[in-house]
Amino acid sequence: MRSTVRQHTSRALGRRAKQSRKDRLDMSASTARRSISSAQLTIDSSMPADMPGCPSEMPAKESLSFGKVFSPHMLRCRYAKEGGGWQSPEIVPFQDVALSPAASSLHYGMQCFEGMKAYKTLDDEDDIRLFRPDMNMRRLKDSMTRLAMPGADFDPQELIDCVGKLVRLDKDWIPAGEGYSMYLRPTVVSTHPYLGLSCPDDLLLYVISGPVGPYYTTGFEPVRLTADTEYVRAWPGGIGASKVGGNYAATMKPGAEANRAGYQQILWLFGEDREVTEVGSMNVFFMLEREDGSGRELVTPPLSRGDILPGVTRRSILDLTQEWGEFDAVERSITMPEVRRAAHEGRLVEAFGAGTAAVVTPISCIRFEGEDIEVKATGELTKRLFAHLTGIQYGKIKGPDGWSVKL
């Protein structure tokens, strides 16, 4: 009797052990499907059919305009709840995206994106690099989380590896020379094919790219800003800290009004105190002499309210200047009345915007409450930061670990 019980117990334990192993394997497979995997990447290197903006050969680099020419391949990866999560990524010829007319990205703004660049170093055209791609991936994940998109827990390095293979495939579309690069646009859109406000079950992540030239073709071109607008870009509790299309769509009308008034961009303010937030689609910096004469400080508005995008260039400028230790680089609230007072007292040394496209953009004028406040441009710090950051990007200067990533 005892022997029989032991045999039954042993068989039962064996069955449970086998089932446990099967469950672990199933769970492992499910986890693998949920995460983007560069090991599962497939590549179709054939050339695309004729499409607007996608020529068979890269145009002369001197003729390039931002966002008008695209490289011949794109990366895409689908997320399907019923399929277990992220599917296998693939590189395919550049092509249109098919969407249901009911897709929630079209009706409810369920989409986010990133902007980054790949560079050829100046002394070796086969040495191709990305600049701080981990920060772009982190921000993309944060934007997806803010939009309640599933799959935001993907491994950022896996997506960076996939992007690296896309760049390598189309490396001949990275124009050589300082100021030239390949612009990369990772994008996530909801393909959820139903109307109704709900979190999406289906997504498409894709990355398109294209050759771009220098933002400034004839040297720095300072911009004139206006802060005299009735519009607000973002507010606490909103989505100003996420890189989503809605943040940009809402700036088109006020931007056009500013252009008609003779100003290139808007300096966005918030609240009764007229706190500075961003300039156009860039972060903004002010170099000030302190009122007490104790030295200079570089000021940029803080991220704490959640209405300012955490820019990669912004973070890099703070990291560099804090490392230099020559002046205080601080994140604090700054109001337009404070900026105006500093200008009137001769303490506004310089001001500039910062972003991926231009790196830094000098500011020469800010209109506020009917007054054009003139700013010295281009300032020495603006020039120095541009030279140092681009030096790292093009391999002329060794930057901090992890900033310049070789592919």
Side-chain angles (χ1 to χ4, degrees):
M1 180 67 177
R2 290 176 181 169
S3 176
T4 302
V5 170
R6 281 197 299 269
Q7 290 173 0
H8 285 179
T9 301
S10 178
R11 284 195 292 270
L13 289 172
R15 284 195 299 271
R16 282 197 292 271
K18 289 180 181 178
Q19 184 62 41
S20 178
R21 285 194 296 272
K22 181 178 182 300
D23 290 343
R24 287 198 298 271
L25 289 172
D26 289 345
M27 185 178 295
S28 176
S30 176
T31 301
R33 285 196 300 272
R34 281 198 299 271
S35 183
I36 296 171
S37 172
S38 59
Q40 297 174 354
L41 177 69
T42 59
I43 300 176
D44 177 357
S45 60
S46 60
M47 295 298 287
D50 290 339
M51 289 193 65
C54 193
S56 58
E57 295 182 356
M58 186 175 73
K61 66 181 186 180
E62 294 79 12
S63 68
L64 293 171
S65 297
F66 179 82
K68 299 292 181 64
V69 178
F70 299 99
S71 308
H73 297 93
M74 61 188 289
L75 169 70
R76 68 186 183 191
C77 186
R78 297 185 182 278
Y79 181 96
K81 181 179 179 180
E82 291 188 358
W86 290 108
Q87 310 299 294
S88 297
E90 52 185 349
I91 292 175
V92 296
F94 185 88
Q95 58 194 262
D96 287 338
V97 172
L99 282 177
S100 163
S104 58
S105 56
L106 301 178
H107 295 270
Y108 309 118
M110 295 293 291
Q111 62 92 252
C112 55
F113 64 96
E114 275 300 316
M116 51 197 296
K117 289 181 178 180
Y119 309 83
K120 286 181 174 177
T121 60
L122 300 182
D123 58 355
D124 181 0
E125 290 191 11
D126 199 47
D127 183 357
I128 301 171
R129 305 185 182 195
L130 300 176
F131 182 71
R132 306 192 77 172
D134 57 315
M135 294 195 68
N136 293 102
M137 296 301 106
R138 187 182 315 143
R139 191 169 62 185
L140 182 63
K141 287 160 64 72
D142 289 344
S143 296
M144 291 176 65
T145 299
R146 180 62 181 84
L147 295 179
M149 287 180 168
D153 57 348
F154 67 84
D155 183 342
Q157 188 57 51
E158 291 295 316
L159 183 53
I160 291 172
D161 290 345
C162 290
V163 170
K165 291 178 182 178
L166 172 67
V167 173
R168 273 289 175 190
L169 178 63
D170 285 344
K171 65 180 182 178
D172 292 340
W173 288 71
I174 309 175
E178 193 162 2
Y180 294 91
S181 60
M182 172 186 279
Y183 183 80
L184 295 152
R185 175 56 65 86
T187 306
V188 183
V189 300
S190 167
T191 55
H192 189 74
Y194 305 107
L195 297 178
L197 284 171
S198 63
C199 300
D201 292 336
D202 303 287
L203 307 172
L204 173 63
L205 185 159
Y206 64 90
V207 183
I208 55 176
S209 64
V212 293
Y215 192 86
Y216 305 109
T217 56
T218 58
F220 277 119
E221 298 172 11
V223 294
R224 294 171 59 83
L225 312 179
T226 178
D228 285 353
T229 178
E230 63 182 304
Y231 303 99
V232 177
R233 175 193 170 271
W235 49 90
I239 55 172
S242 302
K243 201 166 178 68
V244 301
N247 282 338
Y248 299 84
T251 68
M252 300 300 176
K253 182 177 184 292
E257 292 176 357
N259 293 162
R260 287 194 294 270
Y263 301 92
Q264 283 81 40
Q265 297 188 38
I266 291 176
L267 183 64
W268 297 104
L269 308 181
F270 175 77
E272 294 181 357
D273 293 334
R274 316 304 284 152
E275 291 187 72
V276 175
T277 62
E278 293 191 6
V279 50
S281 58
M282 298 180 288
N283 298 120
V284 65
F285 288 81
F286 300 92
M287 177 64 95
L288 306 171
E289 295 278 3
R290 288 200 177 95
E291 289 185 85
D292 62 5
S294 61
R296 293 182 175 183
E297 64 173 349
L298 181 66
V299 180
T300 193
L303 305 179
S304 53
R305 284 197 311 262
D307 60 342
I308 294 174
L309 191 72
V312 176
T313 308
R314 173 189 183 276
R315 184 67 261 165
S316 301
I317 288 171
L318 287 171
D319 290 342
L320 281 177
T321 53
Q322 288 167 357
E323 180 183 330
W324 294 344
E326 300 169 13
F327 47 80
D328 289 337
V330 298
E331 301 174 76
R332 68 166 176 84
S333 293
I334 182 169
T335 67
M336 262 313 297
E338 179 185 353
V339 173
R340 177 173 56 191
R341 186 171 68 254
H344 289 170
E345 296 173 357
R347 296 184 296 102
L348 177 56
V349 181
E350 60 183 287
F352 56 88
T356 297
V359 186
V360 289
T361 298
I363 296 168
S364 62
C365 172
I366 305 171
R367 184 170 185 80
F368 179 60
E369 294 183 345
E371 176 189 358
D372 280 346
I373 301 168
E374 301 299 329
V375 185
K376 181 182 177 182
T378 300
E380 292 305 313
L381 179 61
T382 305
K383 296 175 185 177
R384 180 182 177 186
L385 284 168
F386 181 83
H388 201 96
L389 286 167
T390 56
I392 295 171
Q393 291 165 348
Y394 289 96
K396 296 191 297 181
I397 298 173
K398 178 174 171 48
D401 290 344
W403 281 31
S404 185
V405 178
K406 294 186 178 183
L407 298 180

